[in-house]
Structure formats: C-alpha cells, structure tokens
Coordinates of all heavy atoms in Angstrom, one line a residue:
M65 N 21.4 -10.8 -19.2 CA 20.4 -11.2 -18.3 C 19.1 -10.5 -18.7 O 19.0 -9.4 -18.9 CB 20.8 -10.8 -16.9 CG 19.8 -11.4 -15.8 SD 20.4 -11.1 -14.1 CE 19.8 -9.4 -13.9
T66 N 18.1 -11.3 -18.8 CA 16.7 -10.8 -19.2 C 16.1 -10.2 -17.9 O 16.0 -10.8 -16.9 CB 15.8 -11.9 -19.7 OG1 16.5 -12.5 -20.8 CG2 14.5 -11.3 -20.1
R67 N 15.6 -9.0 -18.1 CA 14.9 -8.3 -17.0 C 13.4 -8.4 -17.2 O 12.9 -8.4 -18.3 CB 15.3 -6.8 -16.9 CG 16.8 -6.6 -16.6 CD 17.1 -5.2 -16.5 NE 16.4 -4.5 -15.4 CZ 16.5 -3.2 -15.1 NH1 17.3 -2.5 -15.8 NH2 15.8 -2.7 -14.1
A68 N 12.8 -8.3 -16.0 CA 11.3 -8.3 -16.0 C 10.8 -7.0 -16.5 O 11.6 -6.0 -16.5 CB 10.7 -8.6 -14.6
P69 N 9.6 -6.9 -17.0 CA 9.1 -5.6 -17.6 C 8.8 -4.5 -16.5 O 8.7 -3.4 -16.8 CB 7.7 -6.0 -18.2 CG 7.8 -7.5 -18.4 CD 8.7 -8.0 -17.3
V70 N 8.8 -5.0 -15.2 CA 8.7 -4.0 -14.1 C 9.7 -4.3 -13.1 O 10.3 -5.4 -13.0 CB 7.3 -4.1 -13.5 CG1 6.2 -3.8 -14.5 CG2 7.0 -5.5 -12.9
A71 N 10.0 -3.3 -12.2 CA 10.9 -3.4 -11.2 C 10.4 -2.7 -9.9 O 9.6 -1.7 -10.0 CB 12.3 -2.8 -11.6
V72 N 10.9 -3.1 -8.8 CA 10.5 -2.5 -7.5 C 11.6 -1.5 -7.0 O 12.8 -2.0 -7.0 CB 10.2 -3.6 -6.4 CG1 9.8 -2.9 -5.1 CG2 9.1 -4.5 -6.9
T73 N 11.3 -0.3 -6.7 CA 12.2 0.7 -6.3 C 12.4 0.7 -4.8 O 11.7 0.0 -4.0 CB 11.8 2.1 -6.7 OG1 10.8 2.5 -5.9 CG2 11.5 2.1 -8.2
A74 N 13.3 1.5 -4.3 CA 13.5 1.6 -2.8 C 12.4 2.2 -2.1 O 12.3 2.3 -0.9 CB 14.8 2.4 -2.6
D75 N 11.4 2.7 -2.8 CA 10.2 3.3 -2.2 C 9.2 2.3 -1.6 O 8.3 2.6 -0.9 CB 9.4 4.2 -3.2 CG 10.1 5.4 -3.6 OD1 11.0 5.9 -2.8 OD2 9.9 6.0 -4.7
C76 N 9.5 1.0 -1.9 CA 8.6 -0.1 -1.4 C 8.6 -0.1 0.1 O 9.6 0.0 0.8 CB 9.2 -1.4 -1.9 SG 8.3 -2.8 -1.2
T77 N 7.4 -0.1 0.6 CA 7.2 -0.2 2.1 C 7.0 -1.6 2.6 O 6.8 -1.8 3.8 CB 5.9 0.7 2.5 OG1 4.8 0.1 1.9 CG2 6.1 2.1 2.0
G78 N 6.9 -2.5 1.7 CA 6.7 -3.9 2.1 C 5.3 -4.3 2.5 O 5.0 -5.2 3.2
C79 N 4.3 -3.5 1.9 CA 2.9 -3.7 2.3 C 2.4 -5.0 1.9 O 1.4 -5.6 2.4 CB 2.1 -2.6 1.8 SG 1.8 -2.6 0.0
G80 N 2.9 -5.6 0.8 CA 2.5 -6.9 0.3 C 1.4 -6.9 -0.7 O 1.0 -8.0 -1.2
A81 N 0.9 -5.7 -1.0 CA -0.3 -5.7 -1.9 C 0.0 -6.3 -3.3 O -0.8 -7.0 -3.9 CB -0.7 -4.2 -2.1
C82 N 1.3 -6.0 -3.8 CA 1.6 -6.5 -5.1 C 1.7 -8.1 -5.1 O 1.3 -8.7 -6.1 CB 2.9 -5.9 -5.6 SG 4.3 -6.2 -4.5
L83 N 2.2 -8.6 -4.0 CA 2.3 -10.1 -3.9 C 0.9 -10.7 -4.1 O 0.7 -11.8 -4.7 CB 2.9 -10.5 -2.6 CG 4.5 -10.3 -2.5 CD1 4.8 -8.9 -2.1 CD2 5.1 -11.3 -1.6
L84 N -0.1 -10.1 -3.5 CA -1.5 -10.6 -3.5 C -2.1 -10.3 -4.9 O -3.0 -11.1 -5.3 CB -2.3 -9.9 -2.4 CG -1.9 -10.2 -1.0 CD1 -2.7 -9.4 0.0 CD2 -2.0 -11.7 -0.7
T85 N -1.7 -9.3 -5.5 CA -2.3 -8.9 -6.8 C -1.8 -9.6 -8.0 O -2.5 -9.9 -8.9 CB -2.1 -7.3 -7.0 OG1 -2.8 -6.7 -5.9 CG2 -2.7 -6.9 -8.3
C86 N -0.5 -9.8 -8.0 CA 0.1 -10.4 -9.2 C -0.4 -11.7 -9.6 O -0.3 -12.7 -8.8 CB 1.6 -10.5 -9.0 SG 2.5 -11.2 -10.5
P87 N -1.1 -11.8 -10.8 CA -1.7 -13.1 -11.2 C -0.6 -14.2 -11.5 O -1.0 -15.4 -11.5 CB -2.5 -12.8 -12.4 CG -1.9 -11.5 -12.9 CD -1.3 -10.8 -11.8
E88 N 0.6 -13.8 -11.7 CA 1.7 -14.7 -12.0 C 2.6 -15.1 -10.8 O 3.5 -15.8 -11.0 CB 2.5 -14.2 -13.2 CG 1.7 -13.7 -14.4 CD 1.0 -14.9 -15.0 OE1 1.4 -16.0 -14.9 OE2 -0.1 -14.6 -15.6
H89 N 2.3 -14.5 -9.7 CA 3.2 -14.7 -8.5 C 4.6 -14.4 -8.8 O 5.5 -15.3 -8.5 CB 3.0 -16.1 -7.9 CG 1.5 -16.5 -7.6 ND1 0.8 -15.9 -6.6 CD2 0.7 -17.3 -8.3 CE1 -0.4 -16.3 -6.7 NE2 -0.5 -17.2 -7.6
A90 N 4.9 -13.3 -9.4 CA 6.2 -13.0 -9.9 C 7.1 -12.3 -8.9 O 8.3 -12.2 -9.1 CB 6.1 -12.1 -11.2
F91 N 6.6 -11.9 -7.8 CA 7.4 -11.1 -6.8 C 8.0 -12.1 -5.8 O 7.4 -13.1 -5.4 CB 6.5 -10.2 -6.0 CG 6.0 -9.0 -6.9 CD1 4.8 -9.0 -7.4 CD2 6.9 -7.9 -7.1 CE1 4.3 -8.0 -8.2 CE2 6.5 -6.9 -7.9 CZ 5.2 -6.9 -8.4
R92 N 9.3 -11.8 -5.5 CA 10.1 -12.6 -4.6 C 10.8 -11.7 -3.6 O 11.5 -10.8 -4.1 CB 11.1 -13.5 -5.3 CG 10.5 -14.6 -6.1 CD 9.9 -15.7 -5.3 NE 9.4 -16.8 -6.0 CZ 8.2 -16.8 -6.7 NH1 7.4 -15.7 -6.7 NH2 7.8 -17.9 -7.4
P93 N 10.6 -11.9 -2.3 CA 11.4 -11.1 -1.4 C 12.9 -11.4 -1.5 O 13.3 -12.6 -1.8 CB 10.9 -11.5 0.0 CG 9.6 -12.2 -0.3 CD 9.7 -12.8 -1.7
V94 N 13.7 -10.4 -1.5 CA 15.2 -10.6 -1.6 C 15.9 -9.8 -0.4 O 15.5 -8.7 -0.1 CB 15.7 -10.1 -2.9 CG1 15.4 -11.1 -4.0 CG2 15.3 -8.7 -3.2
A95 N 16.9 -10.5 0.1 CA 17.8 -9.8 1.1 C 18.9 -9.1 0.3 O 19.5 -9.7 -0.6 CB 18.3 -10.9 2.0
R96 N 19.2 -7.9 0.6 CA 20.2 -7.2 -0.1 C 21.3 -6.8 0.9 O 21.0 -6.0 1.8 CB 19.7 -5.9 -0.7 CG 18.5 -6.2 -1.7 CD 18.1 -4.9 -2.4 NE 16.8 -5.0 -3.0 CZ 16.6 -5.6 -4.2 NH1 17.6 -6.1 -4.9 NH2 15.4 -5.7 -4.8
P97 N 22.5 -7.3 0.8 CA 23.6 -7.0 1.7 C 23.8 -5.5 1.8 O 24.0 -4.8 0.8 CB 24.8 -7.7 1.1 CG 24.2 -8.8 0.3 CD 22.9 -8.3 -0.2
G98 N 23.7 -5.0 3.0 CA 24.0 -3.5 3.2 C 22.8 -2.6 2.8 O 22.9 -1.4 2.8
A99 N 21.6 -3.2 2.5 CA 20.5 -2.4 2.1 C 19.2 -3.1 2.7 O 19.2 -4.3 3.0 CB 20.4 -2.3 0.6
P100 N 18.1 -2.3 2.8 CA 16.9 -2.9 3.3 C 16.4 -4.0 2.3 O 16.7 -4.0 1.1 CB 15.9 -1.7 3.2 CG 16.7 -0.5 3.2 CD 18.0 -0.9 2.5
A101 N 15.7 -5.0 2.9 CA 15.1 -6.0 2.1 C 14.2 -5.4 1.0 O 13.6 -4.4 1.3 CB 14.4 -7.0 2.9
G102 N 14.1 -6.1 -0.1 CA 13.2 -5.6 -1.2 C 12.5 -6.7 -1.9 O 12.5 -7.8 -1.4
L103 N 12.0 -6.4 -3.0 CA 11.3 -7.4 -3.9 C 12.0 -7.4 -5.2 O 12.3 -6.4 -5.8 CB 9.9 -7.0 -4.0 CG 9.0 -7.1 -2.8 CD1 7.6 -6.5 -3.1 CD2 8.8 -8.5 -2.3
D104 N 12.1 -8.7 -5.7 CA 12.6 -8.8 -7.1 C 11.4 -9.3 -7.9 O 10.4 -9.9 -7.4 CB 13.7 -9.9 -7.2 CG 15.1 -9.3 -7.1 OD1 15.2 -8.1 -7.2 OD2 16.0 -10.1 -7.0
V105 N 11.4 -9.1 -9.2 CA 10.4 -9.5 -10.1 C 11.0 -10.6 -11.0 O 12.0 -10.3 -11.7 CB 9.8 -8.4 -10.9 CG1 8.6 -8.9 -11.8 CG2 9.3 -7.2 -10.0
L106 N 10.4 -11.8 -11.0 CA 11.0 -12.8 -11.8 C 10.6 -12.6 -13.3 O 9.4 -12.6 -13.7 CB 10.4 -14.2 -11.3 CG 10.8 -14.6 -9.9 CD1 10.1 -16.0 -9.6 CD2 12.3 -14.7 -9.7
A107 N 11.6 -12.5 -14.1 CA 11.4 -12.3 -15.5 C 10.7 -13.5 -16.2 O 10.0 -13.3 -17.1 CB 12.7 -12.0 -16.2
S108 N 10.9 -14.6 -15.6 CA 10.3 -15.8 -16.1 C 8.9 -15.9 -15.9 O 8.1 -16.7 -16.5 CB 11.1 -17.1 -15.6 OG 11.0 -17.1 -14.1
H109 N 8.4 -15.1 -14.9 CA 6.9 -15.2 -14.5 C 6.2 -14.0 -15.0 O 5.0 -14.1 -15.4 CB 6.8 -15.2 -13.0 CG 7.2 -16.6 -12.4 ND1 8.3 -17.2 -12.7 CD2 6.5 -17.4 -11.5 CE1 8.4 -18.4 -12.1 NE2 7.3 -18.5 -11.3
C110 N 6.8 -12.8 -15.0 CA 6.1 -11.5 -15.2 C 5.7 -11.4 -16.7 O 6.5 -11.6 -17.6 CB 7.0 -10.4 -14.8 SG 6.2 -8.8 -15.2
T111 N 4.4 -11.1 -16.9 CA 3.8 -11.0 -18.3 C 3.7 -9.5 -18.7 O 3.3 -9.2 -19.8 CB 2.4 -11.6 -18.3 OG1 1.6 -10.9 -17.4 CG2 2.5 -13.0 -18.0
G112 N 4.0 -8.6 -17.7 CA 3.9 -7.2 -18.0 C 2.5 -6.6 -18.0 O 2.2 -5.6 -18.7
C113 N 1.7 -7.3 -17.3 CA 0.3 -6.8 -17.2 C 0.1 -5.5 -16.5 O -0.9 -4.8 -16.7 CB -0.6 -7.9 -16.6 SG -0.3 -8.0 -14.8
L114 N 1.0 -5.1 -15.7 CA 1.1 -3.8 -15.0 C 0.0 -3.6 -13.9 O -0.2 -2.5 -13.4 CB 1.0 -2.7 -16.0 CG 2.1 -2.7 -17.1 CD1 2.0 -1.4 -18.0 CD2 3.5 -2.9 -16.6
E115 N -0.6 -4.7 -13.6 CA -1.6 -4.6 -12.5 C -0.9 -4.2 -11.2 O -1.5 -3.5 -10.3 CB -2.3 -6.0 -12.3 CG -3.3 -6.3 -13.3 CD -4.1 -7.6 -13.0 OE1 -4.3 -7.9 -11.8 OE2 -4.5 -8.3 -14.0
C116 N 0.3 -4.6 -11.0 CA 1.0 -4.3 -9.7 C 1.3 -2.8 -9.7 O 1.2 -2.2 -8.6 CB 2.3 -5.0 -9.7 SG 3.4 -4.9 -11.1
I117 N 1.6 -2.1 -10.8 CA 1.8 -0.7 -10.8 C 0.5 0.0 -10.4 O 0.5 1.0 -9.6 CB 2.3 -0.2 -12.2 CG1 3.7 -0.7 -12.4 CG2 2.2 1.3 -12.3 CD1 4.3 -0.3 -13.8
E118 N -0.6 -0.5 -10.8 CA -1.9 0.1 -10.5 C -2.2 0.0 -9.0 O -2.7 0.9 -8.4 CB -3.0 -0.6 -11.2 CG -3.0 -0.4 -12.8 CD -3.3 1.0 -13.2 OE1 -4.2 1.7 -12.5 OE2 -2.6 1.5 -14.1
I119 N -1.8 -1.1 -8.4 CA -2.2 -1.4 -7.0 C -1.2 -0.8 -6.0 O -1.6 -0.5 -4.8 CB -2.4 -2.9 -6.8 CG1 -3.3 -3.2 -5.6 CG2 -1.0 -3.6 -6.6 CD1 -4.7 -2.9 -6.0
C120 N 0.0 -0.6 -6.3 CA 1.0 -0.2 -5.3 C 0.7 1.1 -4.7 O 0.8 2.2 -5.4 CB 2.4 -0.2 -6.0 SG 3.7 0.3 -4.8
P121 N 0.5 1.2 -3.4 CA 0.1 2.5 -2.8 C 1.3 3.4 -2.6 O 1.2 4.6 -2.4 CB -0.4 2.0 -1.4 CG 0.2 0.7 -1.1 CD 0.5 0.1 -2.5
A122 N 2.5 2.9 -2.8 CA 3.7 3.7 -2.6 C 4.4 4.1 -4.0 O 5.4 4.8 -4.0 CB 4.8 2.9 -1.8
D123 N 3.7 3.8 -5.0 CA 4.2 4.1 -6.4 C 5.7 3.6 -6.5 O 6.5 4.2 -7.1 CB 4.2 5.6 -6.7 CG 2.7 6.0 -6.9 OD1 1.9 5.2 -7.3 OD2 2.5 7.2 -6.6
A124 N 5.9 2.4 -6.0 CA 7.3 1.8 -5.9 C 7.6 0.9 -7.0 O 8.7 0.4 -7.1 CB 7.5 1.1 -4.6
I125 N 6.6 0.6 -7.9 CA 6.8 -0.3 -9.0 C 6.9 0.5 -10.3 O 6.0 1.3 -10.6 CB 5.8 -1.4 -9.1 CG1 5.6 -2.1 -7.8 CG2 6.1 -2.4 -10.2 CD1 4.5 -3.1 -7.7
V126 N 7.9 0.3 -11.1 CA 8.1 1.1 -12.3 C 8.3 0.2 -13.5 O 8.7 -1.0 -13.4 CB 9.4 2.0 -12.2 CG1 9.2 3.0 -11.1 CG2 10.6 1.2 -11.9
E127 N 7.9 0.7 -14.6 CA 8.0 -0.1 -15.9 C 9.4 0.1 -16.4 O 10.0 1.3 -16.3 CB 7.0 0.5 -16.9 CG 6.6 -0.5 -17.9 CD 5.5 0.0 -18.8 OE1 4.8 1.0 -18.5 OE2 5.3 -0.7 -19.9
V128 N 10.1 -0.9 -16.8 CA 11.4 -0.8 -17.3 C 11.5 -1.2 -18.8 O 12.6 -1.6 -19.3 CB 12.4 -1.7 -16.5 CG1 12.6 -1.1 -15.1 CG2 11.9 -3.1 -16.4
R129 N 10.4 -1.0 -19.5 CA 10.4 -1.3 -20.9 C 11.5 -0.5 -21.6 O 11.7 0.6 -21.4 CB 9.1 -0.9 -21.5 CG 8.9 -1.4 -22.9 CD 7.6 -0.8 -23.5 NE 6.4 -1.2 -22.8 CZ 5.2 -0.6 -22.9 NH1 5.1 0.4 -23.8 NH2 4.2 -0.9 -22.2
G130 N 12.2 -1.2 -22.5 CA 13.3 -0.5 -23.3 C 14.6 -0.6 -22.7 O 15.6 -0.2 -23.3
E131 N 14.7 -1.2 -21.4 CA 16.0 -1.3 -20.8 C 16.4 -2.8 -20.6 O 17.2 -3.1 -19.9 CB 15.9 -0.7 -19.4 CG 15.6 0.8 -19.4 CD 15.4 1.4 -18.0 OE1 15.9 0.7 -17.0 OE2 14.8 2.4 -17.9
R132 N 15.6 -3.6 -21.3 CA 15.9 -5.0 -21.2 C 17.1 -5.5 -21.9 O 17.5 -4.9 -22.9 CB 14.7 -5.9 -21.6 CG 13.5 -5.5 -20.8 CD 12.3 -6.2 -21.3 NE 12.3 -7.6 -20.9 CZ 11.3 -8.5 -21.1 NH1 10.3 -8.1 -21.8 NH2 11.5 -9.7 -20.7
Ligands
SF4_46 S1 2.6 -3.0 -3.4 FE1 4.3 -1.5 -3.6 S2 4.9 -0.9 -1.5 FE2 3.6 -2.8 -1.4 S3 5.1 -4.5 -1.3 FE3 4.5 -4.2 -3.4 S4 6.1 -2.8 -4.3 FE4 6.2 -2.7 -2.0
SF4_47 S1 3.3 -6.6 -14.4 FE1 1.7 -8.2 -13.9 S2 2.7 -10.2 -14.1 FE2 4.3 -8.6 -13.9 S3 4.8 -8.4 -11.7 FE3 3.2 -6.9 -12.1 S4 1.2 -7.9 -11.7 FE4 2.8 -9.5 -11.9

C-alpha cells in the first residue's frame, strides 16, 4: 500500500486548519473503531508540499518520508 508523504498523529485536535490549507484537498476524516476520529491523508492526492505541517497548531502532522 502506498502511503502519503505525511500522516496525522493522535495529537490532532480537529481544528480543521489543514483541511483549509491543503491545496490538493488530501485530508479525509476517518472513523476509527475504538479510537477518536482522526484524519487520513490520501496518497493519491498529497504532493508532499508540507504546507499542512507548517500550519498545524498542534504539530500533529508528520513527514513519513522513507517509510513508504
Ligand atoms: S491542522 Fe493539525 S490539529 Fe488541525 S485538524 Fe489538521 S492535523 Fe488536526
Ligand atoms: S503535504 Fe501538501 S498536499 Fe500533502 S496533505 Fe499536506 S498540504 Fe496537502
């Protein structure tokens, strides 16, 4: 499975800033059984521009380069 260049961690507060910032609309809310709802990053959309990492006030977005 191909992974996106960035991922959202459990530190996400759901503020929505990344959804508004991402030029590719790569973020998708996901329900996680037994865990708080979170965000997935669509590998098919994300270009790795890293603008979301810059904007996230909770430092909840991390680069996953090298783990794909
Ligand atoms: S900007 Fe950060 S804290 Fe806000 S919704 Fe996105 S990942 Fe979560
Ligand atoms: S790295 Fe860029 S394209 Fe990928 S999710 Fe973040 S803002 Fe969107």
Side-chain angles (χ1 to χ4, degrees):
M65 189 174 81
T66 303
R67 293 184 62 180
V70 299
V72 179
T73 72
D75 291 336
C76 173
T77 63
C79 73
C82 57
L83 286 84
L84 297 173
T85 299
C86 177
E88 308 298 333
H89 306 291
F91 291 98
R92 290 293 182 279
V94 285
R96 303 184 195 282
L103 290 173
D104 266 352
V105 183
L106 296 181
S108 57
H109 286 49
C110 177
T111 61
C113 71
L114 306 185
E115 286 185 32
C116 52
I117 290 180
E118 295 291 322
I119 205 73
C120 178
D123 291 332
I125 305 174
V126 294
E127 208 174 345
V128 290
R129 189 188 301 167
E131 299 176 20
R132 303 177 71 179

